[in-house]
Amino acid sequence: MFPGACSNCTLLEKMTANGMDSLREELVLGMGNPLLDIIAFGDQQFLDKYGMKPNDAILAEDKHLPMYDEMIKKFKVEYVAGGACQNTLRLAQWILGKPRVCVFMGCIGKDSFGSILEQKANESGVITRYMYHDIQPTGTCAVVVTDHNRSLCANLAAANCFKIAHIKKEENWSFVKNASYYYLTSFFLTVSPDSMLEVARHACAFDKTVFLNLSAPFLVQFFKEPMMQVLPYVDILFGNEHEAETFSKEHCFGTNDLREVALKIAALEKVNKNRNRMVVITQGPDNVIVAIDGKITEYEVPVLQSNRIVDTNGAGDAFTGGFMAMFIQKKSIDVCVKCGIYAASQVIQQSGCTYPETVDLKELLSF
């Protein structure tokens, strides 16, 4: 059975209510940094050896490069097709239970890690249109889990080498033209902002929907210029409380009230006037804030007992995937947010950004 498929057809029909009829292959296109997540339950001694802290999220320096092979030799590891954008598309596919709805583009190397990455992504139902680099190795991300914490160390390698020429190839641009929804992460601003703009302008010209994730505070702070070039084309913006607070500071909003921040971001310049921008801010276990049409709605996140939490890695990516899975079926924002919360709640009960074999729609409907 394809991951995410559910044998309980009555519940599936109730949740999706004609939405499945609107799903088709290649409906969603995502672009980002493909990384092979190498996940292991480690210890503080291992973190100390490489100068890492619990819940770190850092880019690899030369001193970190040996850690990937050491993890494989020292711990029992799990491989997952990772990178924020690819995570979100995998989670959307899991919720949808229908393969090949999502397409992903990014750059990988011609090596064994690249083969594993491509296999894992395809197994999740995502269509991959990778650019292959002849020299750089496939990007990897060490995910070291200690207690309920996870520390990330990403070596972008080939992921850092994506070029706009790849999407302009006829065989790849056809996927851009065929999509109706586009998911971009701000991590990609460090790699190919011109590719992001090319796709965003196409979407705007044909009245299609663009999602953007703020992704990390340092991107809001140090990649402000390319981010603000893309933002006018964005219909739905995702971010967490730390990213939103940093955005407010960098743009002199004069407030740390996340409701006000969301409204101010929603009101920033937008090229496509056919719909107002929506801003969605998550806060971990606290309320999800949604700003649209000058109004704020908050959604409570059900309490999850701490002994059920295994790893918070990928919770934000999962929320976005769950939200998008309902949004592309034209569901209400209430349903989209609740599905996002459900997806995040499932992922944090697993190791890494992974999920159960099937979607528990009884639990989903209870959110």
Side-chain angles (χ1 to χ4, degrees):
M1 183 180 291
F2 176 76
C6 180
S7 58
N8 195 331
C9 295
T10 302
L11 282 172
L12 180 62
E13 290 166 359
K14 180 178 179 181
M15 189 66 193
T16 58
N18 299 322
M20 293 296 285
D21 294 337
S22 65
L23 290 178
R24 58 171 175 81
E25 292 189 0
E26 304 169 20
L27 182 64
V28 180
L29 174 70
M31 293 194 307
N33 300 331
L35 302 174
L36 180 65
D37 285 350
I38 304 174
I39 305 170
F41 284 87
D43 50 43
Q44 188 61 47
Q45 184 179 5
F46 185 81
L47 292 181
D48 291 341
K49 179 177 179 179
Y50 289 100
M52 296 180 65
K53 302 173 183 176
N55 286 322
D56 249 355
I58 61 174
L59 294 178
E61 302 174 21
D62 288 345
K63 67 179 182 180
H64 298 113
L65 296 182
M67 74 183 299
Y68 304 95
D69 286 335
E70 183 175 347
M71 283 180 66
I72 295 169
K73 293 175 182 177
K74 186 173 183 179
F75 305 115
K76 180 180 179 181
V77 302
E78 180 180 4
Y79 296 111
V80 175
C85 182
Q86 203 162 221
N87 281 342
T88 289
L89 298 186
R90 288 192 303 105
L91 264 294
Q93 287 286 174
W94 173 63
I95 292 289
L96 294 169
K98 179 177 181 177
R100 301 178 64 82
V101 175
C102 299
V103 182
F104 176 75
M105 292 188 188
C107 185
I108 66 174
K110 295 180 177 178
D111 52 22
S112 59
F113 279 167
S115 298
I116 295 171
L117 176 56
E118 190 159 13
Q119 177 189 347
K120 293 294 184 180
N122 292 156
E123 285 175 356
S124 70
V126 175
I127 301 171
T128 52
R129 298 295 301 179
Y130 293 133
M131 173 182 168
Y132 300 98
H133 200 277
D134 292 325
I135 300 174
Q136 287 291 332
T138 296
T140 48
C141 183
V143 182
V144 184
V145 182
T146 54
D147 297 322
H148 292 160
N149 303 311
R150 88 283 183 268
S151 301
L152 310 180
C153 183
N155 179 26
L156 294 181
N160 221 12
C161 300
F162 189 90
K163 303 298 182 187
I164 192 172
H166 183 71
I167 65 172
K168 288 188 172 181
K169 290 182 178 179
E170 184 177 352
E171 62 269 28
N172 293 325
W173 188 251
S174 64
F175 287 92
V176 177
K177 292 193 296 184
N178 198 34
S180 296
Y181 302 90
Y182 304 86
Y183 181 66
L184 309 171
T185 69
S186 293
F187 287 119
F188 209 48
L189 292 171
T190 71
V191 176
S192 189
D194 52 347
S195 296
M196 296 173 70
L197 276 171
E198 187 78 10
V199 167
R201 286 168 178 155
H202 166 82
C204 185
F206 291 91
D207 196 23
K208 300 177 181 181
T209 302
V210 177
F211 303 89
L212 177 69
N213 201 312
L214 292 177
S215 300
F218 82 90
L219 295 164
V220 177
Q221 186 175 9
F222 298 113
F223 292 84
K224 182 176 8 180
E225 183 177 347
M227 180 179 287
M228 295 311 292
Q229 291 176 348
V230 174
L231 188 60
Y233 298 96
V234 173
D235 297 289
I236 301 178
L237 183 80
F238 297 100
N240 64 29
E241 71 272 36
H242 306 298
E243 294 151 6
E245 288 169 0
T246 303
F247 197 103
S248 177
K249 181 179 179 180
E250 289 297 315
H251 294 273
C252 302
F253 284 173
T255 180
N256 283 326
D257 185 323
L258 294 177
R259 300 161 191 79
E260 293 182 22
V261 174
L263 289 171
K264 286 179 178 290
I265 297 175
L268 291 173
E269 178 192 2
K270 189 170 186 293
V271 177
N272 187 343
K273 308 298 184 184
N274 292 331
R275 52 186 168 271
N276 293 327
R277 179 181 296 115
M278 183 192 310
V279 176
V280 182
I281 298 176
T282 58
Q283 306 180 81
D286 296 327
N287 289 358
V288 175
I289 297 170
V290 177
I292 182 70
D293 297 331
K295 299 178 182 178
I296 289 289
T297 306
E298 295 192 47
Y299 297 86
E300 185 176 354
V301 176
V303 176
L304 187 65
Q305 293 179 345
S306 60
N307 61 0
R308 296 175 62 186
I309 299 174
V310 176
D311 176 12
T312 54
N313 177 38
D317 299 336
F319 174 89
T320 310
F323 185 104
M324 285 204 312
M326 292 297 118
F327 189 88
I328 66 175
Q329 297 180 82
K330 306 186 186 307
K331 300 301 150 191
S332 70
I333 301 306
D334 285 7
V335 170
C336 294
V337 172
K338 289 176 181 178
C339 188
I341 294 171
Y342 166 79
S345 75
Q346 296 303 298
V347 162
I348 65 175
Q349 296 180 68
Q350 314 292 319
S351 173
C353 191
T354 59
Y355 37 78
E357 180 67 22
T358 58
V359 177
D360 185 344
L361 283 169
K362 286 184 178 180
E363 185 174 355
L364 174 52
L365 286 168
S366 70
F367 273 71

